[in-house]
Amino acid sequence: GQAWSALTAKDLMSENPYSVPPETTLSTLVHVLTESDLMSVPVVNADNRLVGVVTRRDVVRAALRPAVRRRP
């Protein structure tokens, strides 16, 4: 294997990561994150461009709030 100092992000990344569209429901996010080893999920638009990332922490916070406030 390569020395740690020689490794790059490309050496470690997933080439086809699981992602979700912005319209994904909270319940689906809970399912995705609990049924996988993922700590976060990229959110991509219809053009497959990254628009954000949802973490397990984001999901827990949203689930614990009585009403999720949308960010502007």
Side-chain angles (χ1 to χ4, degrees):
Q2 291 181 307
W4 279 94
S5 60
L7 289 174
T8 64
K10 183 176 176 146
D11 297 324
L12 304 173
M13 71 181 192
S14 299
E15 290 187 24
N16 191 14
Y18 187 84
S19 61
V20 296
E23 303 79 24
T24 303
T25 64
L26 179 58
S27 62
T28 298
L29 288 167
V30 167
H31 176 77
V32 167
L33 291 168
T34 58
E35 296 299 318
S36 70
D37 289 330
L38 299 174
M39 296 300 289
S40 60
V41 179
V43 180
V44 297
N45 64 16
D47 296 326
N48 213 31
R49 293 184 58 100
L50 182 67
V51 295
V53 176
V54 175
T55 66
R56 286 185 179 203
R57 181 179 180 186
D58 296 330
V59 170
V60 169
R61 283 182 172 177
L64 294 176
R65 275 189 244 153
V68 177
R69 287 185 231 145
R70 298 188 66 96
R71 293 181 185 164

